[in-house]
Amino acid sequence: MDKFLIRGGRPLKGTIKISGAKNSALPCLAATLLTSETVTLHNVPYVKDLITQRRLLEDLGATVLTPELHTHKVKAANIEIYEAPYELVKTMRASVLALGPLLARFGQAKVSLPGGCAIGTRPIDLHLKAFEQLGATVSLEAGDVVARAPKGKLIGAETFFEKVSVTGTENVMMAASLAKGKTTIHNAAREPEIEDLAELLNKMGAKIRGAGTETITIEGVNDLGEAEHTIIPDRIETGTFIVAAAITNGELEIKNCQPKHLEAVIEKLREVGVEIKVVDETTLSVKCCEKDLQSKDVTTEPHPLFPTDMQAQYMALMTQAEGASTIVETIFENRFMHASELVRMGADISISGNTAIVKGKTKLTGAPILASDLRASASLVLAGLAAEGETLIDRVYHIDRGYENIVKKLRNLGADIERVTSEMAETVKN
Ligand code: UD1
């Protein structure tokens, strides 16, 4: 298993280009299942989750060509299997995004129930309830969820999400695009990735209005067709690099991003004392820091408020800010697993339920540490960059799921980080 070896203490300097958004590319690839014609997606990030999603499409019978590393041309003309198997769902929960398109186009779909995962139980009950509102019957058969549309077609309906769900909203938006009649999604998620998916679906011929607001309406159509679409930039990768500049006292120009997608993050980091300039619609510059960083409280909330996917990175930064900050995680249970690793590096963090209190500023010292999930790994890389000495991060396959070429990108900015194999890591430890 690969590890990252980081020798901290170097300020990051230079220009970085942000990759396409993983969380947008995943549903957009799933949406290709809605048509027998070719859908071309550009700016698909080269990360493990997208390789898994591609494998799922191919297992179902789709043809996926990649004429360039970041371009996927998908033709789902000969789909004969309607199932996302357990071995894929267990490694990537977003495989459940196949459910809506398969159910809508073929009238049936089977997906393994996602098991418990590192950041909480993460059920899909809200997806299933909405499918039932669209007329599907849903049953549990030997650990699989089986959904069927009576007479092969879903029927448009009023759907309401008791809790805002990103992939739930996406699944229903895709399913309703081929349903008979009109669907309204109430309490829809408002993430930029929802708007991006709606834009792709509309290019394919869907009739979706209101994406990006809490009420989305979809007029079902009989068929969807070919389309070409460019995935939006990854706002979480952008936020992670802003924190990387801040935590190392560096200076970065961040290109190919969309600052308007991460306003809450920018605002919070400015309050803390990070100098962030919006240079233009796709460029940010970050400079840190003339004065000491100041601790500020944060609570994670659905978009447009502070994202849970930036909570771990923010916690790493708060270890380097003066004073105490309270971090409240409202989206996922059990999403503080990075905290104990940060404490091993010298951070002062106490956890009670969904609240963490970070007391700064503490000196961080390199240590062997363990990554537990995707964003937790990012937070540990950030801590390693700020720490004195060597940090060896184990289980970096988590970070490979969602950050394209993170080692190369950081090295280009002056970081001392390398990927080592298990055998090499043993030598380093001894
Ligand atoms: C998506 C993102 C993930 C991000 C999360 C929250 C993708 C591929 N992943 O995950 O990176 O951290 O949004 O912004 O886009 N819930 C239920 N029942 C359901 C569905 C969700 O109880 O049927 C709960 C979840 O357990 C969680 C909350 O609702 O507490 C929000 O989850 P949701 O928005 O669905 O997260 P994902 O779409 O899985």
Side-chain angles (χ1 to χ4, degrees), residues 258-366:
Q258 288 218 2
K260 68 170 193 246
H261 289 165
L262 65 160
E263 279 171 359
V265 172
I266 292 175
E267 195 183 311
K268 181 57 67 182
L269 293 174
R270 279 179 176 155
E271 270 179 48
V272 168
V274 185
E275 290 168 42
I276 305 172
K277 239 192 250 160
V278 177
V279 179
D280 60 38
E281 277 178 13
T282 59
T283 313
L284 283 170
S285 71
V286 189
K287 198 170 159 198
C288 211
C289 288
E290 304 234 312
K291 292 190 208 135
D292 287 341
L293 294 172
Q294 296 302 313
S295 293
K296 298 285 171 195
D297 299 344
V298 85
T299 299
T300 62
E301 304 268 9
H303 193 77
L305 299 174
F306 194 91
T308 175
D309 284 351
M310 279 300 298
Q311 178 259 108
Q313 301 88 317
Y314 186 79
M315 188 182 287
L317 186 65
M318 284 304 95
T319 68
Q320 299 307 296
E322 296 293 335
S325 56
T326 303
I327 300 178
V328 183
E329 171 60 55
T330 73
I331 308 293
F332 292 112
E333 53 194 272
N334 205 13
R335 208 180 196 181
F336 283 143
M337 282 177 300
H338 41 283
S340 53
E341 303 303 297
L342 294 172
V343 167
R344 297 189 61 240
M345 297 176 75
D348 181 345
I349 304 171
S350 51
I351 307 277
S352 170
N354 69 344
T355 303
I357 296 175
V358 187
K359 290 188 187 139
K361 169 183 183 175
T362 49
K363 184 176 158 198
L364 296 179
T365 310

Side-chain angles (χ1 to χ4, degrees), residues 8-74:
R10 293 178 167 212
L12 298 192
K13 291 217 159 70
T15 300
I16 171 86
K17 277 190 189 159
I18 297 302
S19 298
K22 167 184 89 73
N23 285 355
S24 186
L26 285 169
C28 287
L29 270 184
T32 64
L33 291 169
L34 286 162
T35 176
S36 58
E37 293 183 33
T38 301
V39 177
T40 306
L41 298 173
H42 301 289
N43 205 29
V44 175
Y46 187 67
V47 295
K48 187 75 192 0
D49 271 9
L50 268 305
I51 295 169
T52 308
Q53 191 76 331
R54 174 191 173 147
R55 206 184 120 199
L56 172 61
L57 295 179
E58 288 176 332
D59 285 357
L60 296 173
T63 308
V64 187
L65 300 176
T66 45
E68 288 165 36
L69 187 63
H70 298 109
T71 297
H72 283 45
K73 271 180 179 298
V74 187

Side-chain angles (χ1 to χ4, degrees), residues 142-426:
D144 295 324
V145 172
V146 180
R148 288 192 183 85
K151 297 185 193 149
K153 192 110 180 129
L154 295 171
I155 313 287
E158 298 281 317
T159 61
F160 176 77
F161 277 92
E162 283 154 38
K163 202 169 178 183
V164 176
S165 168
V166 177
T167 47
T169 302
E170 291 163 349
N171 237 338
V172 176
M173 225 163 55
M174 291 189 281
S177 294
L178 286 181
K180 189 169 185 297
K182 179 177 161 187
T183 297
T184 308
I185 307 176
H186 299 282
N187 201 26
R190 290 182 280 164
E191 271 68 3
E193 292 76 20
I194 305 277
E195 285 185 75
D196 203 33
L197 173 65
E199 200 180 316
L200 167 67
L201 292 169
N202 283 341
K203 285 179 186 167
M204 291 165 69
K207 294 188 175 156
I208 301 174
R209 279 183 296 135
T213 74
E214 57 195 27
T215 309
I216 301 177
T217 56
I218 305 125
E219 286 288 347
V221 296
N222 281 332
D223 287 303
L224 294 170
E226 66 175 19
E228 187 158 354
H229 183 69
T230 300
I231 303 293
I232 55 170
D234 197 307
R235 63 196 162 94
I236 305 301
E237 189 195 15
T238 310
T240 304
F241 274 99
I242 299 178
V243 175
I247 207 165
T248 63
N249 270 313
E251 199 170 339
L252 292 186
E253 183 182 48
I254 304 181
K255 285 183 164 292
N256 290 12
C257 62
Q258 288 218 2
K260 68 170 193 246
H261 289 165
L262 65 160
E263 279 171 359
V265 172
I266 292 175
E267 195 183 311
K268 181 57 67 182
L269 293 174
R270 279 179 176 155
E271 270 179 48
V272 168
V274 185
E275 290 168 42
I276 305 172
K277 239 192 250 160
V278 177
V279 179
D280 60 38
E281 277 178 13
T282 59
T283 313
L284 283 170
S285 71
V286 189
K287 198 170 159 198
C288 211
C289 288
E290 304 234 312
K291 292 190 208 135
D292 287 341
L293 294 172
Q294 296 302 313
S295 293
K296 298 285 171 195
D297 299 344
V298 85
T299 299
T300 62
E301 304 268 9
H303 193 77
L305 299 174
F306 194 91
T308 175
D309 284 351
M310 279 300 298
Q311 178 259 108
Q313 301 88 317
Y314 186 79
M315 188 182 287
L317 186 65
M318 284 304 95
T319 68
Q320 299 307 296
E322 296 293 335
S325 56
T326 303
I327 300 178
V328 183
E329 171 60 55
T330 73
I331 308 293
F332 292 112
E333 53 194 272
N334 205 13
R335 208 180 196 181
F336 283 143
M337 282 177 300
H338 41 283
S340 53
E341 303 303 297
L342 294 172
V343 167
R344 297 189 61 240
M345 297 176 75
D348 181 345
I349 304 171
S350 51
I351 307 277
S352 170
N354 69 344
T355 303
I357 296 175
V358 187
K359 290 188 187 139
K361 169 183 183 175
T362 49
K363 184 176 158 198
L364 296 179
T365 310
I369 48 176
L370 206 59
S372 53
D373 66 58
L374 172 58
R375 305 306 169 185
S377 342
S379 128
L380 300 184
V381 168
L382 293 168
L385 293 172
E388 197 180 286
E390 287 187 352
T391 298
L392 189 62
I393 308 181
D394 200 352
R395 301 202 182 154
V396 293
Y397 58 83
H398 287 293
I399 206 161
D400 293 334
R401 287 187 43 214
Y403 286 87
E404 182 168 353
N405 268 335
I406 183 137
V407 169
K408 192 169 165 206
K409 284 186 178 185
L410 286 169
R411 284 176 75 92
N412 286 344
L413 300 173
D416 187 344
I417 176 171
E418 62 187 298
R419 180 183 284 269
V420 291
T421 60
S422 303
E423 302 79 55
M424 286 162 75
E426 282 308 312

